[in-house]
Amino acid sequence: MQIPPFSLDEQISEIGDEIEEALIRVFRSGKYIGGDEVALFEKAFASAIQTSYSVSCNSGTDALILALRSLNIGEDDEVITSSFSFFATAEAITSVGARPVFVDIDPKNYLMDLGLIEKAITPRTKAILPVHLFGHPMDMDKIMAIAKINNLKVVEDCAQAAGANWRGKPVGSYGDVGCFSFFPTKNLGAAGDGGAITTNDCDLAKTIRELAIHGMPKRYFHTKIGYNSRLDSLQAAILNVKLTRLNKWIEKRNTIAINYISKLSTIESIELPSNNLINNSGHSWNQFVIRIMDNSFVENIKSIAACDFDHQNRDLFKTELHRLGINTIIYYPIPIHLQPAYKDLGYKEGSLPVTEKVCTQVISLPIFPELKSIHQSYVIDKIKEIYKK
Ligand SMILES: *Cc1c(COP(=O)(O)O)cnc(C)c1O
């Protein structure tokens, strides 16, 4: 048996015909930039996220850059965020000239530790950039309260959290701007790159739209140095088909996640994702991330000969799953503050101890809406065997 961490095969057979029809329609129209599909998508996406405006762009990374630029965040400014995220979160901050200031995470949910945010605020702090990592919503009531007291902007990184909500209200509708990615492995994935920004602020939406198209409010009249960052009409056509299924897909992810949690909860040496949200879910389960807490399984694994005993327990566990046909991914093996590209920021090993520890323990189990229950049962059974006493 071979189980992938993520697969689009089933989804392609389910909605392939509908998507191909849409693609042919757009291709034959000869209009590839802007047009009805993009306008339709922006309207539908704003409605899904419950904001007044949505502006599409080329990627989640661009969405973050455009959001920061529209809020005039740049040189000499600091933005508070998490080092336990995809690199683009910090990359966007640096590319507008600002400085990322990382706070450590809460080991229960892998999100920025709410108790540490205020300690990181300096006179240069302009914004908080919460990351709804793996689809787990941050406590946006607390974030917005901290931002309000300290007069800070809030840019939400919702790249992994399309369809997630905090207390029933979608993420991306709380902050000044919400930033989404339609990279193919995200919950709402295009067939290529894509992104969007959500906001309730009419002026911000207008500024973002101008920045995304060369700072050009009128044809060949440029008021800002902007970017070329658009969502292709072909991608918009695909997203229009997929958006109507997003909630159904998240329900399926939720069922899979709850099943993992209930079946794996007897294993003491595995830390499961925090389940304080389960009843009132809100999690979009883009990833199902567990932590391998010790080496209690080592005697049971068969691939040990092929492994080096000095490896981290997590890596041994991953190798054994791989031997059994279960393919997993590590999100993320190295925290952003220890990436070579950021050596000049002044962080060292030990700067963010929880983040650094968690990076050595995490492993993402297969999760996607079409994951077959026999495949999930196989994953669960094999993990139980690995931990059998
Ligand atoms: C995917 C991702 C991004 C970047 O999105 P792209 O569309 O790939 O540019 C940013 N932040 C997080 C947390 C992500 O997972």
Side-chain angles (χ1 to χ4, degrees):
M1 191 145 14
Q2 278 297 321
I3 301 169
F6 173 79
S7 166
L8 287 167
D9 294 353
E10 294 282 319
Q11 198 189 92
I12 290 168
S13 30
E14 186 196 328
I15 58 173
D17 289 349
E18 208 178 319
I19 285 186
E20 282 168 21
E21 257 172 56
L23 289 175
I24 289 167
R25 196 175 59 238
V26 174
F27 181 71
R28 294 207 172 139
S29 79
K31 273 211 75 168
Y32 306 139
I33 302 287
D36 292 347
E37 293 287 349
V38 173
L40 209 69
F41 176 72
E42 290 182 343
K43 201 153 170 261
F45 195 66
S47 155
I49 307 302
Q50 296 175 25
T51 53
S52 311
Y53 308 95
S54 150
V55 180
S56 58
C57 63
N58 189 250
S59 68
T61 308
D62 280 6
L64 290 164
I65 292 172
L66 292 164
L68 293 166
R69 279 284 309 273
S70 73
L71 294 164
N72 287 317
I73 291 165
E75 214 77 10
D76 297 330
D77 296 336
E78 292 176 359
V79 178
I80 294 173
T81 193
S82 176
S83 176
F84 190 46
S85 181
F86 179 55
F87 189 71
T89 304
E91 197 177 27
I93 297 169
T94 336
S95 39
V96 302
R99 179 188 167 86
V101 173
F102 301 114
V103 300
D104 215 347
I105 55 169
D106 179 339
K108 285 200 217 55
N109 55 22
Y110 314 135
L111 306 174
M112 258 196 288
D113 186 331
L114 293 164
L116 299 177
I117 294 175
E118 286 196 282
K119 296 192 183 90
I121 296 173
T122 74
R124 293 185 165 188
T125 309
K126 286 285 158 60
I128 307 175
L129 202 161
V131 183
H132 306 291
L133 195 71
F134 307 137
H136 191 311
M138 284 213 74
D139 180 337
M140 288 311 295
D141 295 317
K142 292 240 171 72
I143 298 273
M144 296 314 290
I146 295 169
K148 192 161 179 214
I149 297 168
N150 295 285
N151 195 24
L152 302 175
K153 301 294 184 190
V154 174
V155 174
E156 293 178 69
D157 184 338
C158 309
Q160 302 181 7
N165 67 78
W166 171 250
R167 300 212 169 138
K169 194 168 157 329
V171 302
S173 69
Y174 282 91
D176 294 273
V177 188
C179 301
F180 293 83
S181 164
F182 306 127
F183 186 82
T185 59
K186 309 292 164 121
N187 284 13
L188 179 63
D193 279 308
I197 285 135
T198 51
T199 182
N200 286 313
D201 185 321
C202 178
D203 293 332
L204 276 185
K206 192 161 160 271
T207 304
I208 289 166
R209 199 174 284 290
E210 287 171 14
L211 281 168
I213 311 172
H214 307 289
M216 182 170 73
K218 278 193 302 195
R219 188 168 284 207
Y220 307 131
F221 178 72
H222 304 264
T223 52
K224 300 176 190 72
I225 311 293
Y227 308 86
N228 174 8
S229 187
R230 288 176 284 231
L231 182 70
D232 289 339
S233 312
L234 287 163
Q235 298 298 351
I238 293 173
L239 292 168
N240 279 327
V241 173
K242 288 195 168 192
L243 182 57
T244 59
R245 270 106 171 165
L246 179 61
N247 288 336
K248 183 187 85 181
W249 286 334
I250 289 175
E251 272 170 37
K252 290 189 172 174
R253 286 176 182 270
N254 196 43
T255 306
I256 293 166
I258 288 173
N259 193 37
Y260 271 135
I261 290 172
S262 75
K263 303 276 167 56
L264 296 178
S265 63
T266 51
I267 303 173
E268 273 168 31
S269 302
I270 287 182
E271 192 74 24
L272 293 166
S274 80
N275 57 5
N276 59 342
L277 289 165
I278 280 183
N279 290 329
N280 179 20
S281 186
H283 202 308
S284 67
W285 297 111
N286 185 240
Q287 298 299 336
F288 188 88
V289 177
I290 63 171
R291 276 194 291 150
I292 305 305
M293 306 304 283
D294 56 37
N295 66 358
S296 60
F297 61 87
V298 162
E299 283 171 15
N300 285 339
I301 69 175
K302 310 245 169 16
S303 55
I304 196 82
C307 295
D308 179 351
F309 262 101
D310 291 338
H311 268 73
Q312 284 156 353
N313 299 325
R314 184 267 314 277
D315 297 338
L316 288 174
F317 180 82
K318 180 176 164 58
T319 307
E320 177 67 356
L321 287 186
H322 179 73
R323 190 186 71 80
L324 296 162
I326 301 164
N327 299 289
T328 57
I329 302 184
I330 308 300
Y331 297 109
Y332 294 93
I334 304 171
I336 301 174
H337 71 283
L338 297 182
Q339 293 290 349
Y342 279 130
K343 64 179 187 307
D344 294 341
L345 281 181
Y347 289 90
K348 302 185 290 289
E349 237 171 273
S351 297
L352 302 167
V354 182
T355 300
E356 290 165 30
K357 182 86 192 154
V358 161
C359 283
T360 67
Q361 299 171 321
V362 283
I363 176 165
S364 302
L365 300 183
I367 192 166
F368 50 95
E370 302 80 11
L371 179 66
K372 289 196 180 65
S373 68
I374 52 157
H375 285 173
Q376 189 185 16
S377 299
Y378 177 81
V379 175
I380 291 165
D381 291 347
K382 291 300 163 195
I383 293 177
K384 283 188 164 166
E385 277 172 33
I386 290 173
Y387 279 94
K388 174 178 73 208
K389 292 230 170 73

